[in-house]
Amino acid sequence: MFPGVSTTGLFGCLVSAAFGATAGLAGQADDGSAGNGGFYLGVAFPLGHLGATMQESVDNTAPNTLVPEPRRGQVFEDEVSGDALSYGIGLVAGYWLPFSSGAYFLDAAVDVESRGGAVEAQFAGVGISSERKQLGESWPDRVSQ
């Protein structure tokens, strides 16, 4: 329904996770036992920001339209935007390999996530009538995705 759905803020979440993981693993490197690297399992709590825009056009220019005057022969266009928080839970499995003293490392991970969150918005409605509910107008519909 929202063809332009995109996640923003995901980059910030990934950067925060990378700094958190780096600090945690660098702190473990002082133990002596953490300097070997290895496999790990974890739980992921992804957060993000969803933004969506939907456009609607009502074209009354067809010669055989049933739309009465004065809406006949006109095109009404409406647009609505919405945003929402995206959240989820997942599992992470990976392998990390430290370099030299353990302050720097190579890490590869795979995660499986279940996400939630819905974008809701409402068209204002575009047309000639005061309530925007006549045949041939964009109605004030509520949409969600």
Side-chain angles (χ1 to χ4, degrees):
M1 179 170 281
F2 287 101
V5 172
S6 64
T7 57
T8 57
L10 182 59
F11 180 71
C13 293
L14 292 175
V15 169
S16 298
F19 282 123
T22 303
L25 292 175
Q28 290 179 3
D30 295 336
D31 292 357
S33 64
N36 298 331
F39 288 99
Y40 62 88
L41 291 174
V43 178
F45 297 100
L47 290 176
H49 180 263
L50 293 174
T53 299
M54 184 173 181
Q55 297 174 337
E56 180 178 69
S57 294
V58 181
D59 187 347
N60 301 316
T61 58
N64 59 348
T65 185
L66 299 177
V67 176
E69 294 291 344
R71 293 176 299 280
R72 181 179 296 165
Q74 295 189 20
V75 177
F76 296 109
E77 294 181 351
D78 205 354
E79 181 176 294
V80 66
S81 295
D83 58 355
L85 177 68
S86 172
Y87 53 87
I89 188 167
L91 296 174
V92 179
Y95 183 82
W96 70 280
L97 178 65
F99 297 124
S100 64
S101 67
Y104 298 99
F105 60 92
L106 177 65
D107 183 29
V110 175
D111 63 88
V112 177
E113 301 172 355
S114 172
R115 290 212 166 191
V119 177
E120 294 185 4
Q122 182 166 349
F123 283 105
V126 177
I128 297 170
S129 69
S130 59
E131 293 183 358
R132 310 289 191 257
K133 290 196 173 211
Q134 299 296 317
L135 180 63
E137 295 181 333
S138 171
W139 295 3
D141 293 327
R142 185 151 188 82
V143 293
S144 67
Q145 177 62 26

